Amino acid sequence: MNLQTKLGLLIGSLTFLLIVSAALSYVLVRRIDSDVQNLGRVVAPLKEAVLEMQISIGEGNKSIIQYSIDRDDRHIKRFLESNIEFENALEEFNRLAETDEEKVAGRRVGQIHGGFEEISDNIIGVTNNLQANLTRLSQGVANIDRILNEQLEVLIDREAPDGLSKLEAVLNMGTRVDKAFLAVQSYLASPDPKFRETVRVEQEGFKEFEAVFRSSQLSLNEELMVGVIDGVFLDTVALGTRVMDQVDVQRILLGNLADDIEEIDHIVTEDVQPLILAETFEALDGAEASVEVATIAVFVLIALGAVVGVGTAVIVARQIVNPIVRLTNVAFELGQGNLGVRATANTKDEIGSLSNSFNQMAAARQRAEAQRVTLIAELAARNAELAQLDELKDNFISSVSHELRTPLTAIKGSAEILLDDRNAPEEVVIEFLTIINVESDRLTRLINDVLDLARYEAGQEIWNDAPNSMSDIVESAVAGIQSLAIQKFLNVSVDLDPDLSNVWCDQDKINQVLTNLLSNAIKFTPEHGEIGILIKEASTSGDTRNGRIVEIKVSDNGVGIPTDELDEIFQKFKQVSDAPSDVRKGTGLGLPICKEIVGHYGGKIWAESELGKGSVFTFILPIDQVAVESPPADAAGDSPAQSI
């Protein structure tokens, strides 16, 4: 027989034994049930009524105390509800009370609760009056301060001989009013007699400074205003005394309320509960016979326990078989490639541990597969980056080779002509020597750009930082490109803040940045165009430029840059793809050098452009000296401009 057949026979046998045991114990169960129900009918409702009274009286007390603290009407509502609950519980208790002692205790609790209600109503009334008087007191103090500060103080002629003394008296009167009001507020939290004394002292002080004020020569308006203040102050002091008296009354009432609660609790604990306990013992005596009969049934219950134990074994067996079957199915699915399948582990035994271990193994395999896929994707991305870098390198080598070949060809050709024609006219010799000189300078600039960028990236550049005038830097940069602008009939305008502070920087490096930006603007701006330089000082709370900054904008109305290339032009070797055919392309190193220089000072550089309307290149620098760190990966800023 297989396992399921054996388990079926076992369950059948256990079912038969259970039916026999149930028949034998039926009469006993009925008897015990009857006795227990009788015990509940006698005692339980009475105890429930007592418990309900204790809970409701406590809730009512808590609501009243809470209302005296924050004057929230919800506490009054809860007090009324708990009062009704108490009365209902007391009525139920009186209905169930059978002995004279219980009835007397019920009447005593009712009488005390009547006094409890009266004290609660008085507390509510005193609390409401106290809140109203506090509001009036606060308004009175505010009125005195307003009259003193906004009316009487304005009337005082400070240039008069007694003007300052009157002004001092007004200020001291206001101080006395505020101290008296503070003493009343302190009395609310702690009814210390010293606060009453403080109110009296501050009242006398107010009258003293009022007398000082009145002793001066007063105008009619001042005389009238002092009289008004005196009346309001006296009313306010009287109101403050009334508030402190009401605080005393409130605390006395709360003490009386606590006494009533304690007395009710004493009656319930010391008188009522022992009576209920005695009734409980009487009811238990009636059930003693059933307990004796229950003793006879012990053997039957033992047999039933054995049956239940066997039944438990059956259940455990089922809990073992089913998880094993499910675990086998899950293992099969995992073997078929379903990595998301998991075994259900509802038990904490060995099967549950096996299921958890299996799930951990499946999860580990799933994570490994995910890591493998992620790694493949990362490798593909890195390969793409390497391919892109290789392409950039090839483009750079091609571009540099082309740029090197052009001046070298011109130099070599000019030199060969001069060597072949030793008797050439002087003007021809000068012409070709000029070509050799110009192309040599061009070749030198190209090599210097490559070397400069390498030094910046390697952190080997020497920085001669000092406070420098941006006006001098701009003037030098404009002078350097003026001849190029004149050749294309370009107008170069400079808008410089006259109060601009000196900037902590290397003058030659910032000049190089401006020169590169202006050279690009001249290159991509048609004849008779406009080039503008705007420099202004600002302040910022940015992460790396906390303090003052200078903002430099170089704008033109040239051909512009495509929007999708603005994120690339500050990368090395990148050039504008749609540049006009008559514009000679560079090597794409100028703007990367600008980015390295600006990034060295913790600044930012970016470009904004619209095709056909021109471009604006902006960079910002901190004015004051800052700790120089390695430039971030994207020193171009939030709107990263890249290079031409």
Side-chain angles (χ1 to χ4, degrees), residues 620-638:
I620 58 177
L621 297 170
I623 291 179
D624 302 317
Q625 182 179 5
V626 296
V628 177
E629 300 177 354
S630 299
D634 185 12
D638 297 331

Side-chain angles (χ1 to χ4, degrees), residues 179-192 194-196 198 244 247 251:
K179 287 184 177 180
F181 180 62
L182 179 60
V184 174
Q185 289 180 315
S186 300
Y187 194 86
L188 294 176
S190 177
D192 193 330
K194 68 179 181 181
F195 296 122
R196 288 183 178 268
T198 301
M244 290 187 288
V247 169
R251 291 183 178 274

Side-chain angles (χ1 to χ4, degrees), residues 595-617:
K595 174 183 174 182
E596 292 291 334
I597 294 173
V598 172
H600 171 78
Y601 294 102
K604 291 185 178 182
I605 183 169
W606 67 91
E608 299 164 285
S609 183
E610 186 175 353
L611 286 177
K613 294 186 178 181
S615 305
V616 178
F617 282 80

